[in-house]
Amino acid sequence: MMAGQSNNPNRPPSAYTPPKRDFNSLSPQEKRKVLEDNRQLQKLPPAQRQELRERAQVWGQLTPEQKNHIRNDVLPKWQQLPPDRKRAIQQRLGVLKNMPESARNQHLNDPNFTRGMSAEDKATLRDLSHLHVGGAPDPPNE
């Protein structure tokens, strides 16, 4: 069991369940990475840790096709966007984040909501909004 995890049966399981591997079976390099990742996670404010748990949960619920679409289509486009366009998409995702599907679609089809966005940015916003994410897509660590 990794540091920071509890054996409390009343605690819900982590949003991200990594493949079952015993820590002792990891290579020294993998052990260092796990420990360093855990140290970095513990340094984050609680709200940021919660956001990461939520993103991991969303990622875990995606189908293999959706994950491939993000890896191969959405993420490469996102990484090429200038900061101002990323911010514009992120701001709109924040508005759409907890909306039901019908309200999300209504906003996405509202020209006032997407005013000033290119067709490519609108497509990225639509892709990300239907995956129920609220921030920038993170590169998967699978």
Side-chain angles (χ1 to χ4, degrees):
M1 184 164 288
M2 282 192 262
Q5 287 184 335
S6 140
N7 208 9
N8 181 346
N10 298 322
R11 184 175 178 193
S14 169
Y16 171 69
T17 306
K20 300 291 182 206
R21 285 182 68 191
D22 185 47
F23 182 78
N24 293 327
S25 70
L26 299 176
S27 71
Q29 182 179 359
E30 290 172 316
K31 286 180 185 178
R32 280 192 298 277
K33 173 128 177 62
V34 167
L35 292 172
E36 179 57 29
D37 288 351
N38 189 53
R39 275 192 290 275
Q40 293 299 323
L41 184 63
Q42 296 308 313
K43 289 180 184 177
L44 295 175
Q48 209 170 349
R49 286 196 305 262
Q50 179 62 30
E51 176 68 24
L52 289 174
R53 280 191 292 275
E54 289 171 7
R55 287 185 187 195
Q57 185 176 17
V58 168
W59 183 259
Q61 292 172 344
L62 298 178
T63 65
E65 294 80 18
Q66 289 172 313
K67 290 178 182 180
N68 284 333
H69 174 61
I70 292 171
R71 279 188 199 108
N72 301 326
D73 302 322
V74 178
L75 186 60
K77 287 179 191 172
W78 181 264
Q79 290 170 331
Q80 298 301 314
L81 287 176
D84 59 325
R85 288 172 58 194
K86 285 182 182 180
R87 272 191 304 279
I89 293 170
Q90 285 176 309
Q91 288 170 343
R92 288 168 176 89
L93 283 171
V95 172
L96 300 171
K97 184 176 182 180
N98 295 312
M99 286 186 180
E101 190 80 18
S102 60
R104 237 187 353 268
N105 286 330
Q106 189 174 2
H107 272 72
L108 289 168
N109 292 323
D110 180 352
N112 290 323
F113 185 71
T114 57
R115 179 171 282 134
M117 295 180 78
S118 69
E120 182 181 17
D121 290 356
K122 289 177 188 178
T124 300
L125 175 63
R126 185 171 295 277
D127 274 344
L128 293 173
S129 72
H130 289 295
L131 297 172
H132 303 273
V133 297
D138 289 330
N141 291 326
E142 289 194 335

